[in-house]
Amino acid sequence: MKKIVLLGSTGSIGANTLQLAADFPDRFQVVGLTAGSNNDKLLLQIRRFRPQVVALADEKAAERLRRQCRSRRDLKDLKIEILSGMEGLVRTATLDEADIVVSAIVGSAGLVPTFEAIRAKKPIALANKEPLVMAGAIIQEEARRRGVAILPVDSEHSAIFQSLSGQRRGDVHRLILTASGGPLLDLPLAKRRTIKPAQALKHPTWRMGTKITIDSATLMNKGLEVIEARWLFDIPPDRIDVVIHRQSIVHSMVEYRDGSVIAQMGIPDMRGPLAYALNYPERLPLGLPALDLTKVKALTFELPDHKKFPCLGYAYEALKTGGTMPAVLNAANEIAVAAYLSGRIGFLEIARLIRKTMDGHVPQAVKNLEDVLEADRWGRERAMKAIS
Amino acid sequence: MKKIVLLGSTGSIGANTLQLAADFPDRFQVVGLTAGSNNDKLLLQIRRFRPQVVALADEKAAERLRRQCRSRRDLKDLKIEILSGMEGLVRTATLDEADIVVSAIVGSAGLVPTFEAIRAKKPIALANKEPLVMAGAIIQEEARRRGVAILPVDSEHSAIFQSLSGQRRGDVHRLILTASGGPLLDLPLAKRRTIKPAQALKHPTWRMGTKITIDSATLMNKGLEVIEARWLFDIPPDRIDVVIHRQSIVHSMVEYRDGSVIAQMGIPDMRGPLAYALNYPERLPLGLPALDLTKVKALTFELPDHKKFPCLGYAYEALKTGGTMPAVLNAANEIAVAAYLSGRIGFLEIARLIRKTMDGHVPQAVKNLEDVLEADRWGRERAMKAIS
């Protein structure tokens, strides 16, 4: 029985994790949950999975939850500790009982709890890109020092992880990340300016949260994945390529020095990579529909158009610059996407705002987490000022 | 330095093996060669690679070679032992010095030397399908007992072998062999009757010997590969599928029980799988052109048409029947292909002759190699009688 702490239980990865816990009750037990403030969904999860500890980032939401647990008859007999704030998240992320921590908080908010879970020697199933994007070097150094496994949950990184299985690291020549191209792939440059969020949120192959879906529309998501891959697999950026693969069947590939390419494929369903990370190295019979390539018919591959998708290049640039730059790139992107979703800026301004913020940043070396958090704050403030 | 004995040096796999030995002189040394009777090519190989032992199946050819080695100035100083007949092949295949034996004799003639190499505890790089097709159970039992690794050289089986790397055997759900479909894939049934060998030998993606190219045109090659896969990977026939993949880029795949599919890809060049088998588990920098999927554009997959390609079904049937039936299938096919290539029968009669020979066979259990060789003889005689 593997005891799971789930950071970010009310998002899309959170829901899939709990689905797996429900499907395999003899393998997984949920001992801790954290969320931002979404109480209704969380109440259902608490009732169903009966965790020992729950933490909410929002203090008031935590207080409300405590009241509900005291007053509602269906929750009264639960022995549950309800924590709050960053301290509560960290205490849950480092719970003694936990055998694995699923890091599925959206955005930079997941950085500190994930880092603390690593310091507490918890294996990590990593769905949250930002810890590695913002602080890859520090996190990997910490994980190495503590002997902690970081198992990727992103379908692309899981594909690479699976394609590296049983191979010699010295034989790896290149990682090839696939990108569906998102909902706006074929939209001409001239029409991108006026794209409304509703349209940019219509992802062709994956159902995900709003932030990551907009990141797919700008290809920033792939850029963040390039940075994540660099740290997960310890490979320089000039050996990480991106190809557009509209069908989202080939989840990513590894090219070896003999010219051989190993690819991992599957229908687009997050339960695949998630279950692989949770139950590694054994695979679970997930009951997903089998991949029938004779029905898919054709798998296609194209080079990304950097004029349409400048964000991809910005991510490579930030990665090559190093230091605090990736954290600033990420911060500016989070602010820009939120501003776009709330209608304050247009679609093309997402990239412009990131460019402007990066141009205004003098990258610093990163010695510790505080340096990263400081760069994150700086990037947010700078981007917010540029909007207003 | 790995010392190689190469069984079948004058064929296509033989030439590729020697090319690798020439390209990596610090890794490979050729200590033994065998061939049928092709003296001119063999003379060049002997001069270049200076093996300790050479064996020719044909006694007269061996005698001719001995004379040449004595009389030609450029060969005089070679210390070389020239053997002949099956005894000579077996002595070469079991050479004390050999670290690995490349089994690349075409057809059933490779069975005995390969079997004896296994009994002598030599790791096998297996390009010759027939040993496993004819005598899979016996050979695998012998290899298991002696702790001998059989490393596949066929691109499909190498792809599966690579796709199984680092995975748990219990998680394997299905093997998916890809088939280019050969030169006659799109030819309507009605036009297949009159196909001349010259046309059937025009393979779209692979350059191989004549026997295997005709086997590609009938899909018998894929059928033999299904049987080979069954024994190499110890998986029942109903978990081995074949899909038509015209581009020959995805060399084969493994589906796991979580729905994940691992595939191995590359440009079609035998040096890839061959080098992987020779130098396993380390990959070599072969200097082959990189696979650029954005230039290939589309990878397509189709179900095979069993009406056009009855031989594929016959192979599954022989495998499921078991015992001596696969050896009889193979024998009838060898006779039929030779008869087709020499113009004695038409293209469609290849399948008919195999069907007829199988129908006339009462399958027996196989206890030893002699049972297999007897079934092979029976199949050949029966097929030859049917032709004349």
Side-chain angles (χ1 to χ4, degrees):
Chain A
M1 182 69 80
K2 206 173 241 183
K3 290 181 178 157
I4 297 176
V5 161
L6 171 55
L7 309 178
S9 73
T10 55
S12 144
I13 297 291
N16 277 308
T17 305
L18 294 174
Q19 185 61 54
L20 285 171
D23 289 348
F24 298 93
D26 53 329
R27 294 198 179 246
F28 304 121
Q29 183 190 348
V30 178
V31 293
L33 295 177
T34 84
S37 61
N38 185 336
N39 272 1
D40 286 350
K41 214 186 242 178
L42 192 64
L43 272 182
L44 290 172
Q45 294 177 347
I46 290 171
R47 223 169 45 186
R48 173 87 193 261
F49 295 98
R50 308 182 150 255
Q52 300 169 28
V53 183
V54 170
L56 286 170
D58 186 78
E59 304 277 355
K60 280 180 194 158
E63 194 41 55
R64 205 160 53 235
L65 182 62
R66 283 187 199 105
R67 278 199 305 275
Q68 286 173 304
C69 284
R70 278 194 301 268
S71 62
R72 283 179 58 162
R73 201 183 305 167
D74 57 339
L75 298 173
K76 245 183 186 164
D77 59 333
L78 285 179
K79 277 178 195 146
I80 187 170
E81 199 177 352
I82 297 168
L83 307 172
S84 63
M86 185 51 78
E87 198 196 318
L89 296 185
V90 168
R91 270 186 58 201
T92 311
T94 58
L95 207 63
D96 268 353
E97 288 81 355
D99 297 315
I100 190 163
V101 172
V102 178
S103 167
I105 293 174
V106 175
S108 57
L111 174 57
V112 172
T114 303
F115 188 74
E116 293 300 327
I118 291 168
R119 279 167 40 94
K121 299 196 181 178
K122 303 295 181 189
I124 308 290
L126 188 71
N128 178 207
K129 292 177 180 62
E130 284 74 6
L132 287 179
V133 169
M134 297 168 69
I138 294 178
I139 287 196
Q140 284 300 54
E141 195 196 317
E142 197 66 39
R144 251 190 306 271
R145 196 189 311 164
R146 313 254 175 197
V148 166
I150 299 184
L151 301 153
V153 170
D154 249 357
S155 67
E156 292 81 356
H157 301 87
S158 178
I160 289 171
F161 184 62
Q162 293 182 48
S163 300
L164 288 169
S165 181
Q167 302 292 336
R168 296 162 60 99
R169 297 308 294 265
D171 289 347
V172 174
H173 184 248
R174 199 163 57 111
L175 309 183
I176 305 163
L177 290 165
T178 56
S180 71
L184 309 181
L185 181 58
D186 294 320
L187 196 74
L189 250 179
K191 292 194 173 168
R192 301 176 95 76
R193 201 176 56 79
T194 54
I195 279 300
K196 292 274 170 295
Q199 200 173 340
L201 285 170
K202 280 184 189 148
H203 198 280
T205 52
W206 289 98
R207 295 168 142 267
M208 304 176 291
T210 55
K211 160 71 167 55
I212 189 173
T213 305
I214 299 302
D215 284 347
S216 286
T218 62
L219 276 198
M220 178 56 96
N221 184 49
K222 210 51 52 177
L224 299 178
E225 285 176 9
V226 168
I227 303 178
E228 192 185 0
R230 185 261 169 273
W231 296 112
L232 269 176
F233 306 114
D234 192 19
I235 196 156
D238 58 349
R239 294 195 171 204
I240 306 174
D241 284 356
V242 169
V243 295
I244 303 292
H245 167 56
R246 293 166 186 262
Q247 298 81 26
S248 295
I249 296 294
V250 177
H251 296 321
S252 279
M253 300 172 255
V254 177
E255 183 187 293
Y256 291 91
R257 68 172 183 161
D258 60 353
S260 181
V261 173
I262 305 288
Q264 189 266 340
M265 310 186 195
I267 56 160
D269 190 306
M270 281 313 299
R271 278 172 293 170
L274 189 52
Y276 192 68
L278 283 178
N279 205 49
Y280 179 79
E282 194 185 349
R283 295 174 184 274
L284 291 171
L286 298 177
L288 300 177
L291 172 62
D292 184 345
L293 286 170
T294 66
K295 291 208 172 110
V296 179
K297 287 205 175 77
L299 304 176
T300 63
F301 303 89
E302 305 154 58
L303 289 171
D305 177 343
H306 284 274
K307 275 196 189 139
K308 271 190 187 175
F309 300 107
C311 290
L312 179 59
Y314 299 166
Y316 271 102
E317 186 190 320
L319 176 56
K320 283 173 192 167
T321 302
T324 48
M325 195 56 99
V328 166
L329 165 99
N330 180 68
N333 182 55
E334 286 195 17
I335 297 299
V337 171
Y340 172 66
L341 283 171
S342 66
R344 285 189 295 149
I345 64 172
F347 185 77
L348 294 184
E349 285 169 273
I350 297 174
R352 271 187 225 127
L353 194 63
I354 297 165
R355 176 77 272 169
K356 203 172 165 183
T357 310
M358 285 174 70
D359 285 344
H361 183 63
V362 181
Q364 312 286 319
V366 162
K367 290 176 297 294
N368 51 46
L369 211 59
E370 193 40 54
D371 294 343
V372 174
L373 295 170
E374 173 56 32
D376 179 59
R377 279 190 294 271
W378 184 94
R380 279 165 202 282
E381 274 170 33
R382 186 73 171 227
M384 281 209 273
K385 253 184 225 160
I387 291 170
S388 59
Chain B
M1 182 69 82
K2 207 172 238 183
K3 291 180 177 159
I4 297 176
V5 160
L6 171 54
L7 308 178
S9 72
T10 55
S12 144
I13 297 292
N16 277 307
T17 304
L18 293 174
Q19 185 60 53
L20 285 170
D23 289 347
F24 297 93
D26 53 330
R27 295 200 178 244
F28 304 123
Q29 183 190 347
V30 178
V31 294
L33 294 177
T34 83
S37 61
N38 186 335
N39 272 1
D40 285 350
K41 214 186 243 179
L42 192 64
L43 271 183
L44 289 172
Q45 294 177 348
I46 289 172
R47 222 167 45 183
R48 174 85 194 259
F49 295 97
R50 306 179 152 259
Q52 300 168 29
V53 182
V54 171
L56 286 170
D58 186 79
E59 304 276 354
K60 279 180 195 157
E63 194 42 55
R64 204 159 54 233
L65 182 62
R66 281 186 202 105
R67 277 199 306 273
Q68 284 173 306
C69 285
R70 277 195 301 268
S71 62
R72 282 180 59 162
R73 204 184 305 168
D74 57 338
L75 298 173
K76 245 180 186 168
D77 59 334
L78 285 179
K79 277 176 196 147
I80 188 172
E81 199 178 353
I82 297 169
L83 307 171
S84 63
M86 184 52 78
E87 198 196 317
L89 296 186
V90 168
R91 270 187 59 201
T92 312
T94 57
L95 207 63
D96 268 352
E97 287 81 356
D99 298 314
I100 190 164
V101 171
V102 179
S103 166
I105 292 175
V106 175
S108 57
L111 173 57
V112 172
T114 303
F115 187 74
E116 293 300 326
I118 292 168
R119 280 168 38 97
K121 298 197 181 176
K122 304 295 182 189
I124 308 289
L126 187 71
N128 179 209
K129 293 178 180 61
E130 284 74 7
L132 286 179
V133 169
M134 297 167 70
I138 293 178
I139 286 197
Q140 284 300 55
E141 195 196 316
E142 196 67 37
R144 251 190 306 271
R145 195 190 313 163
R146 313 253 174 197
V148 166
I150 299 183
L151 300 153
V153 170
D154 250 356
S155 66
E156 293 80 358
H157 302 87
S158 178
I160 289 170
F161 183 61
Q162 293 181 49
S163 300
L164 289 169
S165 182
Q167 302 291 337
R168 296 162 59 98
R169 297 309 295 264
D171 289 346
V172 174
H173 183 249
R174 199 164 57 110
L175 309 183
I176 306 163
L177 291 164
T178 56
S180 70
L184 308 181
L185 181 58
D186 294 319
L187 197 75
L189 250 179
K191 291 194 174 167
R192 301 175 95 77
R193 198 177 56 81
T194 54
I195 281 298
K196 291 277 172 293
Q199 199 173 341
L201 285 169
K202 279 185 193 150
H203 198 280
T205 53
W206 288 99
R207 295 171 142 264
M208 304 176 292
T210 54
K211 159 70 165 55
I212 190 173
T213 305
I214 298 301
D215 284 348
S216 286
T218 62
L219 277 198
M220 177 57 95
N221 185 47
K222 211 51 53 178
L224 299 178
E225 285 176 9
V226 168
I227 303 178
E228 192 185 359
R230 185 260 169 273
W231 296 111
L232 268 176
F233 306 114
D234 192 20
I235 196 154
D238 58 350
R239 295 196 170 203
I240 307 174
D241 283 358
V242 170
V243 295
I244 303 291
H245 167 55
R246 292 167 187 259
Q247 299 80 26
S248 295
I249 296 293
V250 177
H251 296 321
S252 279
M253 300 172 256
V254 177
E255 182 187 292
Y256 291 91
R257 67 173 185 161
D258 61 355
S260 181
V261 173
I262 305 287
Q264 189 267 341
M265 309 187 196
I267 56 161
D269 190 307
M270 280 314 297
R271 278 172 293 172
L274 190 51
Y276 192 68
L278 283 179
N279 206 47
Y280 180 77
E282 194 185 350
R283 295 174 185 273
L284 291 171
L286 298 177
L288 301 177
L291 172 62
D292 184 346
L293 286 170
T294 66
K295 292 211 172 106
V296 179
K297 288 206 175 75
L299 303 176
T300 63
F301 303 90
E302 306 154 57
L303 289 172
D305 177 344
H306 284 275
K307 273 195 192 141
K308 270 190 187 175
F309 300 108
C311 289
L312 180 59
Y314 299 166
Y316 272 101
E317 184 190 321
L319 176 58
K320 283 173 191 164
T321 303
T324 47
M325 194 56 100
V328 166
L329 165 97
N330 180 68
N333 182 55
E334 286 194 18
I335 296 299
V337 171
Y340 171 66
L341 283 171
S342 65
R344 285 187 296 150
I345 64 172
F347 185 77
L348 294 183
E349 284 168 274
I350 297 174
R352 270 187 226 127
L353 194 62
I354 297 164
R355 176 77 270 168
K356 201 170 166 185
T357 311
M358 285 174 71
D359 285 344
H361 183 63
V362 181
Q364 311 286 318
V366 162
K367 292 176 296 296
N368 50 46
L369 210 60
E370 192 39 56
D371 292 345
V372 174
L373 294 170
E374 172 56 33
D376 179 60
R377 279 191 293 271
W378 184 93
R380 279 164 202 282
E381 272 169 34
R382 187 72 171 230
M384 282 208 273
K385 251 183 224 159
I387 291 170
S388 58

